[in-house]
Amino acid sequence: MGAEHHDDQLAAVEFDDEPSSSVTETTVSVDDLFDVLARPANRYVLTYLLRDEGPVYAHELVEYIIDETDPPEGLSEREYRGQIDSRLLHVSLPKLEDVGLVEFDGRRQRISETDETPAVLPYLRFALVQQRSHDD
């Protein structure tokens, strides 16, 4: 998604009912976990999903990403929105589902947490802090 992040929002992520920030056991392999977190779109999905209660819909994620980023130079907001939507539906959400971090109902475009999703929180926080310090 190559867009600039709004550092303040990402670095100060506040989650309702925060689970412990200590490392928790997960069945997701360390390679899959860090591969997923290496991609900004996946971090946005996980951040939004962990902050929200209950399932979310793809259009909500698109709006969240649009609100948090700027379109790359040369792309209109409409083109950028289409690009985000396409990448979420065809790349990010299927990958997150494959590794077991979300349940994705493609027909309804609904995304839900799995039992593994909360285990990503300490790593997600670390990734967001690293991104912020790298962007500064």
Side-chain angles (χ1 to χ4, degrees):
M1 300 216 170
E4 298 277 331
H5 300 335
H6 288 267
D7 294 338
D8 295 337
Q9 171 66 23
L10 292 178
V13 173
E14 295 292 330
F15 298 99
D16 294 334
D17 301 325
E18 285 190 40
S20 167
S21 5
S22 64
V23 175
T24 57
E25 201 169 309
T26 179
T27 61
V28 177
S29 79
V30 73
D31 290 337
D32 285 340
L33 183 62
F34 286 106
D35 181 51
V36 163
L37 291 177
R39 290 162 176 56
N42 297 340
R43 293 192 301 264
Y44 282 112
V45 169
L46 292 167
T47 298
Y48 191 80
L49 191 60
L50 286 165
R51 286 182 3 174
D52 210 59
E53 286 190 23
V56 300
Y57 292 87
H59 69 88
E60 295 174 71
L61 290 170
V62 171
E63 290 305 315
Y64 174 67
I65 294 170
I66 292 291
D67 288 346
E68 296 300 317
T69 61
D70 297 316
E73 202 169 310
L75 275 185
S76 69
E77 186 172 318
R78 183 176 180 209
E79 292 168 323
Y80 185 48
R81 181 182 304 279
Q83 194 177 72
I84 291 170
D85 188 56
S86 179
R87 286 184 184 172
L88 277 176
L89 295 176
H90 301 293
V91 179
S92 296
L93 294 171
K95 175 65 176 180
L96 289 166
E97 183 176 46
D98 285 347
V99 300
L101 292 174
V102 303
E103 288 182 14
F104 174 50
D105 179 345
R107 186 179 58 78
R108 294 174 56 196
Q109 296 189 354
R110 188 172 96 164
I111 303 97
S112 304
E113 285 187 35
T114 67
D115 291 341
E116 297 296 324
T117 310
V120 78
L121 186 56
Y123 308 102
L124 177 60
R125 282 191 177 130
F126 179 75
L128 295 174
V129 167
Q130 290 300 312
Q131 180 64 44
R132 181 177 183 208
S133 68
H134 184 269
D135 288 348
D136 287 344

